[in-house]
Amino acid sequence: MSAAGTGLDFTLPQQLTVIALCALTAFVSHLALAVFNDGVRPFLLDFVRGRSTRGATAAVSFGLSAGFVFGLGAPMALASGVLNPWLLFLPTDVLGILAPRKWLAPLLGAAWGAVVVFGLKGANRLAHELPVDFLTALQEMSTPILYLFTLFPVLAVTKQFGRVRGGVVGVVELALVVLTLKLWPTVFAGAVAMAVGVLMLIGFAVARDVGQRRAAAPVSDTAGTGSGDDADPMASLFGASAARLRRHLPLFMVLGAGICVLAQLKIFGGGEATSFLVAKGQYAEAAQVDLYRMLGFLPLIATTALASGAYGIVGFTLAYPVGYLLPNPYLAALAGAAVFAVEVLALSWIGKGLGRLPSVRDSSEHLRAAIGEALGLAILFGSLMAANAMGGGLGILVCGGLYLLNEAMGRPVVRMAAAPAAVLVGGVVLNVLYWLDLFTPVKA
């Protein structure tokens, strides 16, 4: 049973899992072994070495995370009925780093988990009883997010390999979406298209790397015999960071088990598109989408982990799709522990491998950027659709105006989160106008 189907009314095992996992992630963050926010991870090296205080590091984490928690994590959870990592793990990053004692970190994390599982239900019920139901309106975001997300391989290929290949991938994806809608109407229309698009991108990248290695082979044969690893000033740092993470392998295995179990319970989605797919019960498609997200973020997580000695709270995110597809939480716990063990043990090898495949590494960076661009447009467009659904032209004026004001002020709320946050604030404004007898809600 999904959270979406019950209005965020979680069962006791689901509640306990969320609370326990939030406690664990806060504890891991307190030890500076892992954080969810990729932007915070590089700052942990100074903290571990004593060059930065716990309070200063917590302030950095809060500054980089608050907008995503309240502008993206909370609206997405309320709109889809499915929890997400921004809502759960960004706050535990901050609470764990901020806690002055080891025993306090898991208590603060557990408290946040309790706020989420018990507070969201009340907020959801209250919002649906308001004259202007902005949570139902937020569900308008699902269609643009799911369909525009399908185009991210096209953007990535175009940026890395040019307009011609990008155009070819675009035509192929469009044809596959049309065919899927016609032949398999119960399947998410973008599933096959994204799979083919990503495979084409990887194929182009591997072909380029192979060609460049063949062209450079004669030069390499006549070159000196010096070791690149010995000459690399980062090699010793990377080795020390990987060793630090391996020393805590049992803790990471417990963390991986918890992440995978949470995904298996079908109350959690690893991304914007995934949340709506999980809410619809399309778990295979959700696994596919999060697998592509993993390909985009793997190099970033690996390199920042090797540079800072702090891993990702959710690892490479491979535990997400594994969890979606497993039939019970017991298998998910075993699989999640195994996934994290392999990831941590293979971290140094992955870092070296990425260094030998520059085009594949660049493809991941282009994938990550393309995912952000596609979702940015989708979230903005979906938020304006939500504004129109709850308030017509006035709703668009209020929500769009708040978004533009955020842009003009230098984006105090990050762009990705600004539009959903504007819908929430706009919904409050429209309800106030209704109570002042200045606005009549749009009828469904």
Side-chain angles (χ1 to χ4, degrees):
M1 182 182 296
S2 71
T6 58
L8 292 166
D9 188 8
F10 304 108
T11 65
L12 180 60
Q14 291 170 343
Q15 292 171 348
L16 293 177
T17 299
V18 172
I19 292 171
L21 187 56
C22 285
L24 178 60
T25 53
F27 180 69
V28 173
S29 173
H30 173 84
L31 298 177
L33 288 173
V35 288
F36 178 74
N37 194 321
D38 295 318
V40 174
R41 202 170 299 120
F43 291 93
L44 291 184
L45 182 61
D46 285 340
F47 173 67
V48 170
R49 294 186 169 184
R51 295 197 294 258
S52 177
T53 66
R54 185 172 292 279
T57 308
V60 169
S61 181
F62 179 82
L64 293 174
S65 303
F68 284 104
V69 175
F70 300 107
L72 185 62
M76 287 297 300
L78 291 168
S80 65
V82 173
L83 302 177
N84 58 70
W86 304 285
L87 181 63
L88 292 181
F89 304 137
L90 288 178
T92 59
D93 280 359
V94 179
L95 294 172
I97 296 172
L98 184 62
R101 297 288 183 270
K102 284 185 180 181
W103 60 266
L104 184 58
L107 291 180
L108 292 175
W112 175 254
V115 168
V116 170
V117 294
F118 297 115
L120 279 181
K121 178 182 177 181
N124 184 61
R125 182 184 298 111
L126 175 63
H128 284 307
E129 293 175 354
L130 293 173
V132 180
D133 184 357
F134 52 86
L135 292 189
T136 298
L138 271 172
Q139 295 173 7
E140 295 286 333
M141 292 195 301
S142 63
T143 299
I145 285 177
L146 290 174
Y147 280 86
L148 287 176
F149 185 81
T150 303
L151 294 175
F152 76 87
V154 179
L155 302 180
V157 170
T158 303
K159 289 192 173 185
Q160 187 173 6
F161 298 104
R163 289 174 289 182
V164 174
R165 292 184 181 181
V168 170
V169 175
V171 171
V172 170
E173 282 209 7
L174 177 60
L176 289 172
V177 168
V178 173
L179 284 174
T180 303
L181 287 170
K182 182 68 175 178
L183 301 177
W184 306 290
T186 60
V187 175
F188 169 48
V192 178
M194 282 189 291
V196 173
V198 171
L199 288 174
M200 293 178 74
L201 172 65
I202 294 174
F204 293 148
V206 171
R208 174 179 287 183
D209 280 337
V210 170
Q212 290 176 344
R213 289 178 72 88
R214 287 176 178 173
V219 178
S220 300
D221 291 341
T222 59
T225 59
S227 171
D229 288 342
D230 293 338
D232 185 359
M234 298 297 290
S236 60
L237 174 62
F238 282 12
S241 297
R244 178 176 187 259
L245 296 177
R246 287 196 298 270
R247 286 196 300 270
H248 295 88
L249 185 61
L251 182 59
F252 281 115
M253 292 176 68
V254 174
L255 179 61
I259 297 293
C260 202
V261 167
L262 181 66
Q264 194 282 327
L265 292 176
K266 310 301 189 290
I267 60 169
F268 175 87
E272 300 89 345
T274 316
S275 293
F276 289 108
L277 289 171
V278 170
K280 293 178 179 181
Q282 296 177 309
Y283 306 125
E285 289 88 344
Q288 179 184 340
V289 168
D290 272 348
L291 182 63
Y292 301 148
R293 180 183 287 272
M294 183 202 74
L295 295 176
F297 281 86
L298 186 149
L300 174 66
I301 295 171
T303 53
T304 54
L306 288 170
S308 66
Y311 198 40
I313 279 290
V314 294
F316 292 139
T317 71
L318 181 58
Y320 294 166
V322 172
Y324 301 147
L325 298 176
L326 289 176
N328 63 66
Y330 306 105
L331 284 176
L334 294 174
V339 166
F340 264 52
V342 171
E343 289 180 2
V344 172
L345 293 174
L347 196 56
S348 295
W349 179 83
I350 292 171
K352 293 177 182 178
L354 291 171
R356 296 190 183 101
L357 296 171
S359 294
V360 174
R361 184 181 65 244
D362 291 345
S363 293
S364 294
E365 295 176 1
H366 286 296
L367 272 177
R368 188 170 66 252
I371 287 172
E373 291 179 11
L375 287 174
L377 176 61
I379 290 173
L380 175 59
F381 187 64
S383 296
L384 290 176
M385 291 173 61
N388 181 67
M390 68 181 183
L394 181 59
I396 292 176
L397 173 65
V398 173
C399 299
L402 289 171
Y403 178 86
L404 292 174
L405 180 62
N406 183 69
E407 290 286 305
M409 294 172 63
R411 299 187 198 129
V413 178
V414 291
R415 178 177 284 173
M416 185 76 76
V423 175
L424 293 184
V425 175
V428 173
V429 171
L430 292 177
N431 275 291
V432 171
L433 292 176
Y434 169 81
W435 289 323
L436 295 175
D437 200 23
L438 297 173
F439 170 72
T440 302
V442 175
K443 293 183 179 179

